[in-house]
Amino acid sequence: MLLRVRVALPDRPGSLAQVTKVLGAAGADITQVTVLDRGAGRALDDITVFCPDSTPRQALRKSLESVEGVTVEGVWTTREAPGTYPELEILKYITTAGDRALTTLIDSLPVLFSADWAATAAEGRVVYASWRAPHDLVLPDEVPARPAALTQDGGPHLIHAPLPPLALSLLLARSEGPAFHRIEVHRLTRILEIFLSLPATERSVARQLRKEPR
């Protein structure tokens, strides 16, 4: 299975080597390392690994936390293929999707962000949601002025983003992993900026709004 592991570790030579050694001993094949943050002597990394199905995630977490100074913030499944540029591929599809531009974006975001589901809403109702979104989806009371990360009480981690030119808001949710990092919020913000600039965007939203609510 393909897993994403988020670890905080000392920002000094040899720390990442210790982490990769532990992952290798567990049979995990490291495919990608992304540095999310560095400062005050600490680093925060997302590590993508292929791991045997027989390896319990809790055992993997325990092994990593046996390394001095290492804290595991999350171990969760991902569908994002490592070593690629998925944003570019998705944006390419969206530019040719015509009236399906909005639904293509929403269906793609969970893969791009190792999340569970995404949805877009208007006036308190869901306009369109990806296939894993709950049917009893509870929308936040207020739409933020800019994309923001939050965690619902007893619920998933979210990025809640306004789409002001379209009078819509967007939700991206992850339940089993850690809260969304500010780098992930920034990444989504840039994708949405490009999406909103595409000629087909308003047409695809108008088509979706004409449909019955979900």
Side-chain angles (χ1 to χ4, degrees):
M1 56 185 167
L2 192 61
L3 296 177
R4 182 70 50 82
V5 182
R6 181 168 296 175
V7 293
L9 66 160
D11 188 12
R12 60 171 183 259
S15 292
L16 184 58
Q18 289 179 287
V19 168
T20 58
K21 182 178 179 180
V22 167
L23 289 171
D29 182 16
I30 299 170
T31 62
Q32 184 169 286
V33 178
T34 302
V35 179
L36 294 177
D37 223 341
R38 297 180 72 178
R42 300 284 290 175
L44 184 67
D45 294 350
D46 269 2
I47 305 173
T48 306
V49 298
F50 280 111
C51 200
D53 292 338
S54 58
T55 302
R57 294 187 207 179
Q58 194 57 36
L60 189 62
R61 176 190 288 268
K62 187 175 180 180
S63 297
L64 286 168
E65 291 185 336
S66 69
V67 179
E68 183 180 356
V70 170
T71 302
V72 179
E73 295 199 357
V75 180
W76 73 106
T77 56
T78 179
R79 289 174 289 160
E80 182 182 345
T84 64
Y85 299 94
E87 293 99 326
L88 299 181
E89 292 297 321
I90 294 305
L91 289 170
K92 181 183 73 174
Y93 294 145
I94 288 173
T95 59
T96 59
D99 290 351
R100 299 187 305 279
L102 177 65
T103 57
T104 301
L105 173 73
I106 298 302
D107 287 336
S108 302
L109 287 178
V111 177
L112 291 178
F113 288 85
S114 301
D116 296 334
W117 54 266
T120 187
E123 299 179 350
R125 71 171 179 89
V126 175
V127 174
Y128 182 78
S130 61
W131 72 276
R132 295 178 67 187
H135 288 283
D136 55 348
L137 177 56
V138 178
L139 301 173
D141 295 330
E142 296 183 3
V143 179
R146 60 183 60 87
L150 65 147
T151 300
Q152 289 184 323
D153 292 337
H157 305 297
L158 299 173
I159 299 180
H160 194 189
L163 301 175
L166 308 176
L168 296 175
S169 63
L170 181 142
L171 290 172
L172 179 64
R174 181 160 66 208
S175 57
E176 64 171 329
F180 288 98
H181 189 268
R182 60 180 177 82
I183 297 297
E184 293 176 294
V185 176
H186 177 70
R187 182 183 171 206
L188 177 61
T189 301
R190 297 305 302 272
I191 291 172
L192 293 179
E193 287 173 352
I194 297 172
F195 172 73
L196 291 172
S197 71
L198 298 175
T201 295
E202 288 193 23
R203 186 170 69 250
S204 70
V205 171
R207 177 177 181 270
Q208 199 62 43
L209 288 173
R210 288 195 298 268
K211 292 185 175 183
E212 290 295 321
R214 201 191 80 161

